[in-house]
Each structure stands twice: as structure tokens, then as C-alpha cells.
């Protein structure tokens, strides 16, 4: 057994908070300290074994003895709560980041990662021995740095999985071909690490690579049974590969929730060591379902603890409040890390800034927040938390335009953040007034300051002949046309999402986009899914084109950058999705009469994360 104080384990999530030396920073200490108290164990982010094997320039390392003191500090921060620590050791093989100077790429064979990457060298015996040595030395350093356990990454398409996978392993020697042969090198790594340290060893595997040519659950039953014989302490079962099935790797909202739990439950019946359940476990209902269906499972929480550091504490009744939901959107966590900014979160503006807690205001003020979208609701809550008296004005429904965000296919999880905000507003007794605000409402009701979160509205281009058009109406099922010819003018995020909805009802969709690509600005995984769906449904896309004229609502003239024209005939309906413009007229009406703060899309149309973050920062300053 793992002998943890409770069943909850923080899964390894890349933070991107290190420096270019791979050292532990204060930001790491703050991040993990904020989450460790109510967990049984924490697995910090994957530790690189060699500077030439990094996935991020800002990844933590365990590649030399200089890292030990920093890792000791990290362990001290976590273990002060009686929470155990697990060192996650990972050799990426062909998945080492090709953009990092000095990185090298080796694998079972010379197969290139189809999701992008450098061509790897097929490993010879010397390469394999060197890789084993990296794991062994890292395990010894983990022991010296006071980790309680080790986790070996043998899944998700990393080096060990590259040997296990028949799709990647094309070897003709004793390490290729049959499953017994493909298991040999991963088992050699395990045996060497087990011999080098007395720390318990957890092995992380993908239960299934989730594509036909990869390995599947029956293979992993056999592999796990072999690991059990050799002394593995537990199996941590996830799914997918970063190369072939990224949505499963990231447990994105576009894939089915619970598939990894089912696989872990089946494995639990095949072995006698613990199985750790993981995969989009982000609500109390998920935990209750897993606990009800399986025997005393360990549960690994990932992005749920990014969205709400107190997730486990709230579930266990040791912290008050509603759990702030993870939306499984990958926008802030994956997007922030990929961009080099470090881990962030759409719904939690304090990620990476956990010690920057809003202070109580020096003076309590009566403040109006105008606009009940995400920005307005976040501002109202933060202002209330700081001790101000707050009234929130919203002319329609709380949630604003984010109420459209969960209407496209497979995005229903996004609704949870609006429900969370509504609950918090009610529990904090923040008065919500449903009306369109006039300047007199602000100046005549004793408000001392006002926050404008009035959002944005569609920007309609001056197209000759444009009379009848739609914007977001087709996202609502009751308005969705069927078997029509629909022109979508604008192929950005909104245009692509509306198009994705339209094809579900057998509409013939044509997109005209002025830029050189469709779905620009869409989160990476969602973009790949959406473009594949549009292609499958034969959506015609004209990039680097603009609409110049509409004749009788049914004939459309378009023009490319060279001035060449084309006519689109028999168009039944036209959707305008050419961007948004800020709505902030009240700013000018109130200037000089009362201090005005502008947040969210009212400053500049942007994504939900920016809206919430600007609201949080503005409310901290008032």
C-alpha cells in the first residue's frame, strides 16, 4: 500500500515556472504549498533527467546534484502537512522539444511523432544503457532530496511507451515484435531503478493509446502483472499518447469522461496492488461515482486542483465554499505552458499568484458593477471579499455572452463556471439588479465608484447589399436551420464554432475569411477537432478572401487579395462572424462625475481568461 493520509494525489502537471537552469523557484513553492494540505500525496511536475531531454525550457530538472537542495525545499513545503511526495521521472524520447537548443531525440525506432517533432535516432544498446543510467541517477537524487516515492512515466507516448507501442516500435531485434519483446526495455528500466533505491515505485501507464495501431488494455493487463511481480507499489492508469491522441493525453472536454476510470477498474480486478484512477475528475459527483463503483481507489486530481487549490479540502469538508470548476478546456493550463507564460487557468486568476491574496480595503465603498458577464461577476465577488458594498447590474441573464460558449458541440462543460458564479453571488448576498443602466442610475444612487463590464457586440462590416443576417442565433438548437445553404462571413473562433453546429443539421456551409487560416485563436485541441469535422462535412473555405457585395440576399460576390472575383449562388442564410467591438458608452457619460474602471471585453474583446483576470486585478486596486 502507499500509506497516504487520504485517497487524493496531485497528478503531475507541467507548470513552466522554473528558470532555464531547471531549478525550483519560489513560484513552485507557493503553488504546491497552496494545494498540499488536504492531499494524501503530491507528484510535482515531470522532472527532466537530462538537459537535452526537456519538454519545456522552464521545466524542473533532477539531472544533476545541484538540483537536490531546491527539491528538498519543495518537499519540505509539501510534507509539512503530512502529505507525501512522489518524484515523477520521465524520459521523453522522441518527444523532447525540438525547439530547445541542445535537445536530442532517441526512440525505439526512427518514427517521427505525427503531432510534430524531430526525427529520432533508433536506440542502440549504448543508448539504452545511457537512458537506464539517467533513471537510476535521478532515482538516487530523489531519495537524497527526501521524496517518499518515485513514479516512472511509462505511458502517454514517452520513451517507455514508444517501446511498448507497436505503432512506434518497428524494431526487428529482441526489443521489437511481440509484446514480450516490447516490454523488455521498460522492464529493464524498472528493475534498475528498483535495485538502485528502496523507495516505493509507482508506474504510470496509458491503459490504451486510443488508436487502432497502438497498444490496448489487454496488453497493459499483461504489462502491469509483470510490474507487480517485480515489486511495483501501484499502477497509475491514464490514456492516450501526446503524438497520436492528444485529446486523451490532456483529457480534453471533447473526449468522453470516465473512460480511464473504467479501464482502471478493470485493471484493479487483474492485479493485487493499488490502481490510481485519473482523468478529468473535477467534481464531487465524479469522486462519488468512482468510490461507489470501485474498491478503495486512489484518485489523482490534476487540473481540478489548478482551478481550485482547495478542491480536496472542500470535498472532505475541511474547507468551506463551492468548488470552482475546471472546465477541461485546456485554454489556460496547456495554452499558458505552451506559450512560455507558465501555467494559468481560465477560471482561476490567482494561479501562479497564490500568495497574492486580495487585502481588505482601507475604506468600505458603495460600488456599482455594470454588466453580469464573467468579468462583472468576478469583479463583484472580489470587491465583496475586500469588504465593499456591491450592486451588480445586468440587463439580461447573468453570464453575458459566455452563455453562448457552451452551445457549440461538446462544450457543455463550460456552463459550470456561470453556475459557480451565480451560486457565489447569491451566497455572498450581492444584490443583482436586472435593468439597462442609465448614467442617472449610477450618479443618483450614492455609488462612490463604478466598474464597467459592459462587454462587446458584433462588429458588422459595411458590405454592399447586406440586409438580413444572423450572428449567434444558430447556436441555439431551436433556431438551427436544416438542409440550407449557409454562408459564414468570418472564419475565426466564433465563425468556426457556428459552422461546426450548422453541419450537424446537414447544412451546406461556406466560410469566407479575410486572413490566411480558419479558426485562428481557437485552443489547439479544439481547433484540430473542429477543422477535421468541417473538412469531413465538405465545408468550403475561402481564406484570404473578402465579401464585396450581396445581391438579393442569395447571391454573394467575394474577392481574393489579387482582386480576382467569384460568385456564390443560392445562399439561403448569411452569418456575420467578423469579430467584436467593445461596448463602453457609459464611460463617456460618467467621466468626471465618478471614478470609472473598465474591465473585460469593454476594454478590448478577448477570451474568458483575460476577462476574469482584468476583473480580478481591477477589483484588487479599488
Amino acid at each position: 500500500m502507499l500509506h497516504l493520509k487520504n485517497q487524493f494525489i496531485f497528478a503531475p502537471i507541467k507548470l513552466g515556472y522554473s528558470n532555464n537552469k531547471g531549478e525550483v523557484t519560489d513560484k513552485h513553492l507557493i503553488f504546491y504549498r497552496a494545494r498540499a494540505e488536504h492531499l494524501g500525496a503530491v507528484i510535482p511536475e515531470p522532472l527532466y533527467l537530462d538537459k537535452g531531454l526537456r519538454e519545456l525550457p522552464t521545466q524542473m530538472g533532477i539531472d544533476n546534484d545541484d538540483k537536490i537542495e531546491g527539491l528538498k525545499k519543495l518537499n519540505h513545503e509539501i510534507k509539512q502537512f503530512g502529505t507525501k511526495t512522489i518524484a515523477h521521472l520521465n524520459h521523453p524520447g522522441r518527444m523532447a522539444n525540438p525547439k530547445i537548443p541542445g535537445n536530442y531525440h532517441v526512440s525505439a525506432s526512427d518514427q517521427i511523432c505525427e503531432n510534430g517533432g524531430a526525427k529520432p535516432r533508433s536506440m542502440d544498446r549504448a543508448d539504452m544503457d545511457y537512458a537506464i543510467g539517467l533513471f537510476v541517477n535521478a532515482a538516487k537524487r530523489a531519495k537524497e532530496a527526501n521524496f517518499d516515492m518515485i513514479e516512472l512515466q511509462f505511458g502517454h507516448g514517452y520513451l517507455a511507451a514508444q517501446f511498448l507501442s507497436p505503432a512506434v516500435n518497428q524494431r526487428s531485434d529482441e526489443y521489437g515484435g511481440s509484446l514480450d519483446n516490447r516490454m523488455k526495455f521498460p522492464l529493464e528500466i524498472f528493475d534498475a531503478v528498483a535495485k538502485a533505491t528502496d523507495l516505493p515505485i509507482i508506474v504510470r501507464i496509458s491503459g490504451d493509446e486510443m488508436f487502432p495501431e497502438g497498444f490496448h488494455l489487454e496488453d497493459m493487463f499483461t504489462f502491469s502483472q509483470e510490474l507487480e511481480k517485480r515489486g511495483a507499489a501501484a499502477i497509475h492508469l491514464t490514456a492516450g499518447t501526446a503524438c497520436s491522441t492528444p485529446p486523451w493525453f490532456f483529457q480534453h472536454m471533447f473526449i468522453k469522461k470516465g473512460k480511464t476510470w473504467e479501464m482502471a477498474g478493470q485493471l484493479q480486478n487483474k492485479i493485487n496492488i493499488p490502481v490510481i484512477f485519473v482523468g478529468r475528475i473535477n467534481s464531487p459527483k465524479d469522486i462519488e461515482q468512482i468510490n461507489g463503483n470501485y474498491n478503495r481507489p486512489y484518485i489523482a486530481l490534476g487540473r481540478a486542483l489548478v482551478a481550485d487549490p482547495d478542491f480536496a479540502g472542500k470535498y472532505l469538508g475541511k474547507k468551506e465554499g463551492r468548488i470552482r470548476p475546471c472546465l477541461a478546456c485546456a485554454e489556460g493550463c496547456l495554452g499558458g505552458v505552451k506559450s512560455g507564460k507558465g501555467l494559468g487557468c481560465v477560471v482561476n486568476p490567482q494561479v501562479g499568484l497564490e500568495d497574492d491574496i486580495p487585502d481588505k480595503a482601507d475604506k468600505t465603498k458603495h460600488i456599482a458593477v455594470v454588466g453580469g458577464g464573467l468579468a462583472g461577476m468576478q469583479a463583484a465577488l472580489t470587491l465583496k471579499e475586500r469588504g465593499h458594498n456591491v450592486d451588480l447590474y445586468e440587463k439580461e441573464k447573468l453570464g453575458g455572452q459566455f452563455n453562448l460558449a457552451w452551445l457549440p458541440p461538446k462544450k457543455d462543460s463550460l456552463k459550470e463556471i456561470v453556475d459557480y458564479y451565480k451560486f457565489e453571488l447569491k451566497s455572498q448576498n450581492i444584490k443583482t439588479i436586472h435593468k439597462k443602466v442609465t448614467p442617472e442610475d449610477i450618479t443618483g444612487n450614492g455609488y462612490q465608484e463604478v466598474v464597467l463590464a459592459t462587454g462587446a457586440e458584433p462588429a458588422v462590416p459595411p458590405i454592399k447589399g447586406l440586409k438580413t443576417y444572423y450572428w449567434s442565433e444558430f447556436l441555439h438548437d431551436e433556431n438551427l436551420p436544416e438542409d440550407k445553404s449557409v454562408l459564414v462571413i468570418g472564419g475565426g473562433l466564433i465563425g468556426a464554432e457556428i459552422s461546426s453546429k450548422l453541419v450537424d443539421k446537414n447544412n451546406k456551409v461556406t466560410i469566407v475569411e479575410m486572413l490566411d487560416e480558419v479558426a485562428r485563436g481557437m485552443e489547439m485541441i479544439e481547433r484540430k477537432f473542429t477543422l477535421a469535422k468541417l473538412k469531413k462535412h465538405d465545408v468550403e473555405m475561402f481564406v484570404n478572401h473578402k465579401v464585396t457585395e450581396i445581391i438579393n440576399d442569395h447571391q454573394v460576390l467575394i474577392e481574393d487579395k489579387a482582386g480576382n472575383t467569384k460568385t456564390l449562388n443560392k445562399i439561403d442564410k448569411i452569418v456575420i462572424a467578423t469579430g467584436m467591438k467593445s461596448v463602453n458608452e457609459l464611460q463617456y457619460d460618467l467621466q468626471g462625475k465618478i471614478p470609472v474602471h473598465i474591465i473585460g471585453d469593454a476594454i478590448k474583446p478577448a477570451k474568458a481568461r483575460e476577462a476574469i483576470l482584468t476583473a480580478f486585478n481591477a477589483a484588487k486596486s479599488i
Side-chain angles (χ1 to χ4, degrees), residues 109 115 123 138 237 304 328 340 395 476 503 536 547:
S109 305
N115 199 31
M123 297 174 78
L237 189 143
K395 64 181 178 180
H476 296 276
V503 298
K536 179 182 176 182
V547 175

Side-chain angles (χ1 to χ4, degrees), residues 347-464:
V347 301
N348 183 356
Q350 287 185 270
V351 171
L353 302 166
E354 284 80 5
D355 61 339
D356 186 15
I357 299 169
D359 298 325
K360 287 292 183 183
D362 294 334
K363 180 181 178 183
T364 298
K365 295 180 179 179
H366 192 196
I367 300 173
V369 177
V370 182
L374 298 187
M377 291 190 289
Q378 178 66 57
L381 288 167
T382 304
L383 288 165
K384 180 73 172 184
E385 180 185 351
R386 297 189 60 232
H388 294 300
N389 295 319
V390 184
D391 291 338
L392 175 63
Y393 287 85
E394 169 54 48
K395 64 181 178 180
E396 295 176 0
K397 289 166 58 178
L398 289 172
Q401 288 181 1
F402 201 75
N403 287 318
L404 302 172
W406 64 80
L407 299 180
K410 298 185 177 181
K411 300 188 73 173
D412 54 301
S413 65
L414 300 186
K415 184 178 185 295
E416 294 172 18
I417 189 60
V418 175
D419 294 339
Y420 166 82
Y421 276 127
K422 287 179 179 178
F423 178 90
E424 288 296 303
L425 291 170
K426 186 175 181 179
S427 68
Q428 298 301 320
N429 295 314
I430 293 173
K431 185 178 179 182
T432 301
I433 303 166
H434 289 283
K435 67 166 295 186
K436 184 174 181 178
V437 174
T438 66
E440 293 72 31
D441 289 324
I442 305 302
T443 57
N445 281 301
Y447 295 114
Q448 294 163 280
E449 301 199 26
V450 62
V451 176
L452 298 184
T454 41
E457 63 185 11
V460 181
I463 299 172
K464 183 179 179 182

